């Protein structure tokens, strides 16, 4: 099926795809070494505290897991599917898992690094500050979910189904939103539903970030925290 689908592909076109994949793998291995080699050196020199040792082990483990997950994802795109003449593509579930794992790894690395570089602010635990903290965590979860839904869009080529906004074609809610049976399958496998969910989650994320920013303006916060919230709003608008 690969041959019949891509019989007109030229050698330079194939090389472009091959080098994209190859460079991604090599870059992943460089990232792995950038974690593991310094970690081993710092550990050997005795520069890591007991809690940090646990952190470092978890991050190095996550790097290795991320590589294995990438291999597992690519493997799904190489398997011949019986009675299928569709374009070969990786499993959208494995793609979402690979992206989710990368986001967790990146966030944990950034959090660990900033925790070491910047001293924590000792702020009075007021009711407003507690609400802001909870709301920030909720917004983080929503953004993470939106990013994962983007992986499903990519995995199913769902971005090609409708290319109009805010409506999908001529309708606000498309006809084939619940075309698959059982209903739950639509959320993960119906390209129309996947694109619809991604749009809704995207709008919800921007709204949540804007609300978080407006709420933070009412609370006296340190300069660093205010900068973080403002930067979050700027990036959300740009995205």
């Amino acid at each position: 099926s690969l041959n019949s689908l891509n019989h007109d592909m030229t050698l330079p076109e194939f090389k472009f795809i091959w080098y994209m994949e190859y460079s991604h793998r090599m870059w992943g291995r460089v990232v792995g070494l950038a974690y593991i080699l310094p970690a081993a050196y710092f550990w050997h020199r005795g520069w890591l505290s007991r809690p940090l040792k646990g952190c470092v082990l978890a991050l190095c483990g996550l790097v290795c897991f991320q590589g294995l997950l990438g291999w597992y994802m690519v493997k799904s795109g190489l398997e011949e599917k019986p009675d299928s003449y569709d374009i070969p593509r990786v499993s959208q579930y494995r793609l979402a898992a690979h992206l989710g794992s990368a986001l967790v790894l990146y966030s944990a690395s950034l959090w660990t690094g900033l925790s070491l570089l910047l001293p924590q602010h000792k702020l009075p635990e007021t009711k407003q500050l507690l609400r802001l903290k909870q709301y920030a965590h909720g917004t983080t979860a929503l953004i993470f979910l939106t990013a994962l839904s983007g992986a499903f869009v990519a995995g199913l080529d769902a971005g090609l189904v409708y290319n109009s906004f805010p409506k999908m074609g001529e309708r606000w809610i498309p006809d084939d939103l619940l075309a698959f049976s059982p209903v739950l399958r639509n959320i993960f496998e119906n390209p129309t539903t996947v694109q619809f969910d991604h749009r809704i989650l995207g709008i919800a994320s921007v709204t949540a970030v804007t609300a978080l920013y407006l709420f933070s303006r009412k609370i006296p916060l340190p300069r660093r925290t205010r900068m973080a919230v403002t930067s979050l709003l700027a990036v959300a608008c740009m995205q």
Side-chain angles (χ1 to χ4, degrees):
S1 65
L2 281 166
N3 193 39
S4 60
L5 278 165
N6 300 302
H7 58 87
D8 59 340
M9 183 181 276
T10 63
L11 187 61
E13 284 173 339
F14 173 77
K15 279 183 174 180
F16 175 75
I17 292 169
W18 191 90
Y19 277 116
M20 284 280 281
E21 175 66 23
Y22 181 73
S23 59
H24 181 71
R25 287 184 183 207
M26 289 301 114
W27 187 253
R29 286 165 188 171
V30 167
V31 168
L33 290 173
Y35 267 83
I36 294 161
L37 293 179
Y41 177 73
F42 296 152
W43 193 299
H44 178 69
R45 300 284 293 182
W47 293 348
L48 304 177
S49 64
R50 194 178 174 83
L52 197 55
K53 279 181 179 179
C55 243
V56 164
L57 278 178
L59 286 171
C60 288
L62 200 52
V63 167
C64 297
F65 175 72
Q66 176 68 3
L68 283 170
L69 207 52
W71 167 80
Y72 185 60
M73 179 192 75
V74 170
K75 189 173 174 283
S76 69
L78 301 173
E79 291 163 0
E80 281 288 343
K81 294 164 185 71
D83 309 318
S84 173
Y85 299 98
D86 196 7
I87 296 164
R89 57 164 63 91
V90 298
S91 159
Q92 68 272 26
Y93 297 102
R94 296 185 195 184
L95 180 64
H98 190 51
L99 176 68
S101 175
L103 287 172
V104 169
L105 174 62
Y106 181 75
S107 303
S109 303
L110 192 64
W111 186 276
T112 306
L114 290 177
S115 299
L116 292 168
L117 291 169
L118 305 171
Q120 195 174 356
H121 286 298
K122 301 290 180 192
L123 300 174
E125 284 286 329
T126 61
K127 203 173 181 180
Q128 275 191 317
L129 195 67
L130 204 65
R131 274 181 64 199
L132 180 72
K133 204 174 182 178
Q134 289 169 343
Y135 195 73
H137 288 157
T139 306
T140 304
L142 184 61
I143 292 166
F144 183 72
L145 193 64
T146 306
L148 285 193
S149 77
F152 279 90
V153 172
L156 290 167
D157 283 339
L160 304 175
V161 183
Y162 291 97
N163 60 358
S164 55
F165 187 85
K167 287 186 178 181
M168 295 177 79
E170 297 298 313
R171 301 172 67 88
W172 288 101
I173 299 171
D175 293 329
D176 54 340
L177 195 69
L178 301 173
F180 291 16
S181 185
V183 175
L184 193 66
R185 207 175 130 219
N186 289 280
I187 297 168
F188 306 106
E189 296 180 18
N190 184 342
T192 300
T193 317
V194 164
Q195 195 197 117
F196 181 79
D197 291 345
H198 189 58
R199 288 175 179 224
I200 299 299
L201 284 166
I203 293 162
S205 290
V206 173
T207 308
V209 169
T210 308
L212 180 72
Y213 172 77
L214 294 173
F215 181 52
S216 75
R217 300 292 295 172
K218 297 175 182 177
I219 307 169
L221 293 169
R223 185 171 167 269
R224 198 171 75 202
T225 314
R226 202 164 290 289
M227 256 178 65
V229 179
T230 309
S231 301
L232 183 65
L233 179 67
V235 171
C237 293
M238 191 167 68
Q239 177 70 0

